[in-house]
Amino acid sequence: AGDLLWDAAVAEIKQETRRFSKRQLIWFRGDKRVRWITADGRTPEQLADEISKIIICVNEEDNRNP
């Protein structure tokens, strides 16, 4: 009986985690401040370079629009 309760609890946690993840994704997609980047086939250094450029751009925009 204990295993059945455990299995049901694990299944519910997994389902709720997927739902929470979907809500987060929907929220982030609607936020125009979020900039999505693709990591496929790129090195950590390449990603860091792109992120640095994005941060510099955002900071420049913020400085122009106080």
Side-chain angles (χ1 to χ4, degrees):
D3 287 341
L4 182 57
L5 291 175
W6 177 263
D7 291 344
V10 168
E12 185 173 346
I13 289 169
K14 287 180 179 181
Q15 180 63 40
E16 291 304 318
T17 300
R18 286 190 292 273
R19 287 180 179 153
F20 180 69
S21 175
K22 184 175 182 177
R23 285 193 306 270
Q24 282 184 316
L25 188 55
I26 290 168
W27 185 84
F28 279 119
R29 284 182 178 159
D31 190 334
K32 301 298 180 199
R33 299 169 298 169
V34 174
R35 289 176 170 81
W36 295 95
I37 61 172
T38 303
D40 295 344
R42 297 166 70 188
T43 66
E45 292 78 16
Q46 290 170 323
L47 292 170
D49 185 50
E50 182 172 351
I51 292 167
S52 294
K53 289 176 184 174
I54 290 170
I55 291 170
I56 290 168
C57 232
V58 168
N59 286 339
E60 288 174 355
E61 289 173 9
D62 287 347
N63 288 335
R64 279 185 260 144
N65 303 312

